[in-house]
Amino acid sequence: MPDIGIIGAGTAGLHLALLLQQAGIHTRIYTNQTAEQVATVRPQNTVSHHAPTIAREEAMGVNFWPAQEFGYQVHYHHLNVPDGPPVFRGDFLRPSRVLDYRIYLPRLMAEYENRGGTIEQRTVEPQDFDQLAGHHDLIVVAAGKRSFTEYFGERPEVSPYAKPQRHLAVGFWAGVDQTDPRAVTMSISPGHGELLDLPITTFDGWASALLFENVPGGDLEILMTQQESDDPEAYRRLVLEKLRVHHPTVFERVEQSRFALMRPGDILQGAVRPVVRNDYRLLDGGTVVLSLGDAHATVDPVTGQGANSASFEAQVAADAIIEDGVIDERFAQKVALRRRERVDGLSTWVNTMIETPTPPHLQQLLGAMSQLRTLCDEFTENFSHPHRNGDMLATPTRVEAAIARHSALAGDPTGKGRTA
Amino acid sequence: MPDIGIIGAGTAGLHLALLLQQAGIHTRIYTNQTAEQVATVRPQNTVSHHAPTIAREEAMGVNFWPAQEFGYQVHYHHLNVPDGPPVFRGDFLRPSRVLDYRIYLPRLMAEYENRGGTIEQRTVEPQDFDQLAGHHDLIVVAAGKRSFTEYFGERPEVSPYAKPQRHLAVGFWAGVDQTDPRAVTMSISPGHGELLDLPITTFDGWASALLFENVPGGDLEILMTQQESDDPEAYRRLVLEKLRVHHPTVFERVEQSRFALMRPGDILQGAVRPVVRNDYRLLDGGTVVLSLGDAHATVDPVTGQGANSASFEAQVAADAIIEDGVIDERFAQKVALRRRERVDGLSTWVNTMIETPTPPHLQQLLGAMSQLRTLCDEFTENFSHPHRNGDMLATPTRVEAAIARHSALAGDPTGKGRTA
C-alpha cells in the first residue's frame, strides 16, 4: 500500500487524510500550525458546507454538527436597485451548514490523531519535496501559500483575471437577527458588490458572518481598506452605514445596540485572484506531487465554494489512491480528468459572478430568478453542484435556455404552485 | 430542445437515438443500409454485451434477449504452451450476452421507428455536414468509415500502432459443443495469436463464434488470407487443423462431422488498426460534429469491447445533451472529459493485449491469473469496466501490485475458498 505525505491541514488535507485512514492507507500531515494555534487565529473564511460535503463528513464519522441543528436550507436574494423585485427565495433539497473553522479544523485534526494519524508541525517549501519523497510515495500539496501556487503554475484558459475582482471584508457579528426560516441572504448592490449574510456557529453560539465582496473603486471598497483595529467603533459605524445604504434587507435585521463583533478582532480583510492551476508535477525521481484544494484552485468566496471544492477533490484523490494502489503519472492523470469538469465549471460560475461590470446575461438570470421560483431553487440547489451553475451561466444562450425551461415549467399546471 | 442528427445505425447511433427518444428529444438517423439489408449481410462482428450495456438496454426497453436465457457468466482461459497451466476460470458478477448483430440491429431499428423515430436511407460524407447543420443542432457521427475517421483525426498519444496488430478471421460455426457452464473461451497460442470462442445466438439458434486474432507472420495468419469462398471445404479443414494445433481446448469440443458454418458465407476476414480520435470538430457555422463509437475509437476485437464502448459513449452524450439542453463547444468538451478515462483506459488494455511479442508483464499477469482465482475473477469482471484492466496492465509495477493484492487475499482465510 502506498504511503501518502499531505502538506496542509485544511479541509482538503484533512478530508483526504481521514478518507485514506478509513481505507487503512498510511498518511502523514505536515502543517505549520498546531490545533491550538488554528483555534486562536483570526477568522480565515466564511465557508458553507453543502449537502455532498456533509454526506462525506458523515461517511468519515466527523459530522459532529448535524445540519438539522446547525444548518439552513434557504437562500434569500435581494437586488438593491430602484423598483427592483422584492426579496426572492430559493430552497435547497438538503441543508447546508456554516461553522467557524477555528472550531472545525482543530476538531478534525484531533480526530485524525485519535485514530492514529500523525500531524507534524513543520514548514515545508517546494525545495523540501525531494526529501519528503524519500518518505512518501505521493506528496499532496493541500495548502495555498504563494510558493506552492507558483510551483504548480496556472492554467491560463481558466484563469482569466490578472488581479482580484473583489476586495473582501468579513466579520462575525452579533446583533443581526436571523431570518425565519434560517437562511443565507445574498444582497447585491450593483456597481458596489455583494454581501453574503451567513448564519454561522461560533465559539459563542450563533452569529452573522457578513462577507462583503466589494468592487474595487466602488463605495464599499473602504470596508476592506479601513483598518478595524485602528478604531473598532468607527469601523462598526462604517459597517452599519454601508449596510443601510447598500444592503437594506440585512440592515433591517440589525439591532444597532447589540451590533458588535463576536470577539475583538473577529474580522478578515483581503482579496484573492481566482486561479486554476496545473494538477501535478513529477519530481526528478518520478514521485508525483499533486495539487489539492487551495493549491489547485483559488476560489473567490463570493459563492462560498472553496471548502466544498477541496472536499470533493479529496474524495477524487482518495478514490484513485485506493483503487489503483500504485502512484504514478497515470494515477495523477486520472485525478486530473475526474475533477476537471467540476473545478473548471465552478471557475466559470464564480468568474461570471465577479465579472465587472456585471455581464448582461447574469443580470438577466438574476431577474428571471426573481420571477421564477423553480429557477431560483435550481440555482440554489446548484451550490451543491457548482459546475451546473457554471454550465447555466457559461453563455447568454445557456441562460436563455434555462429561463425558457423554467418558464415552460411555470406555465404548466403542475409547476404553478412552485412559482408563488 | 435541441434536434440531433445521427449518422450511423450501429450500437452507438441506435443507443443514442433511443436514449434521446425516451427523453423527448427529436433525432433523425442517417444510414446507408435498410434494416432488411443489415439482416442479410455477412457477420460484422462477434461482440459481447456486458452487464452495464445490458442494464442500459433494459432501461431503454430493448432488452429482448434476457441474459438469463441467452447469456453466459464465465471465462475459461487456456495458454497453449508446453507444461502450461490447466484451463483457468474467471467469473463475472452478472451475465453477458452474445447475439448476431443481424438480429440485434434490425430489431432496434424497428423499435426506434415504432416509437416515432425516422431512419433516412442516405449516404453521408463529411462535405454534407454543413447541409445537415441546417436541420440539426448537433451532428453525431457514429459510423467508422474512412472518410469519417480521417475527418476527426487521431490522438497520437493513444494511437501507438502504425498498422493492424492482428489479422482477423471470424466465423459462426455449428458443431462446437458448449462448455458447461456456458462460457467464453479465450485460448492463447503465443507467437500466433488468440482465439475467442463465444456462445452466440444466431438466426438458427446457438452457434460458436470463433474469432481468430492472428499475429501477422504467424502460423495462423492464413486464416485471414485464404478466401473461404474459393473452397469452403478446404477452409473448413484448415480451421479444424489450426484449432487442433493451436487451440486444443476448443478443438476438444468439436464434433467434426457437424463442424460447418451456420450459413454459407458466415465468415468475416480483415484487420483493424486501433486508433482513438479527436472528440469533435466545429463547423464554420459553429455546429458541433461529435465523434461517437467507431468514429471516435477503433477497437481491436480481441477483448470484444467495441459495442460496450459505443453504448457507454452514447449514454455520456445523451446525458450531456439532456442536462445541457444547449449544444455548443462546452457541451462537446464535457462529453470529451466524461468518456476519456474509459476510452483511453480501454485503449491501454487492448493495445497491451495485442502487443507483439507479448510483453513480459502481460505474460506475468496471465500466469498469475492461472494461480489466483480472485485475480482471474477481477480480470473477467473488468470486461464490464475495461479501463480497470487498462489500469491494471499499464505498467509492470501495476501488474505486480495487482498480483500482490490477490496473493495477500489468497493467504487470508476469508479469501481461500475463492482460490480453489
Side-chain angles (χ1 to χ4, degrees), chain A residues 227-243:
Chain A
Q227 290 300 304
E228 192 265 348
S229 55
D230 288 348
D231 184 343
E233 175 55 21
Y235 193 83
R236 192 189 81 92
R237 278 185 276 111
L238 177 70
V239 171
L240 281 172
E241 175 60 15
K242 295 305 185 190
L243 280 177

Side-chain angles (χ1 to χ4, degrees), chain B residues 78-94:
Chain B
H78 181 248
L79 306 178
N80 189 40
V81 291
D83 304 316
V87 167
F88 48 101
R89 169 177 172 168
D91 280 37
F92 282 95
L93 296 174
R94 294 174 288 168

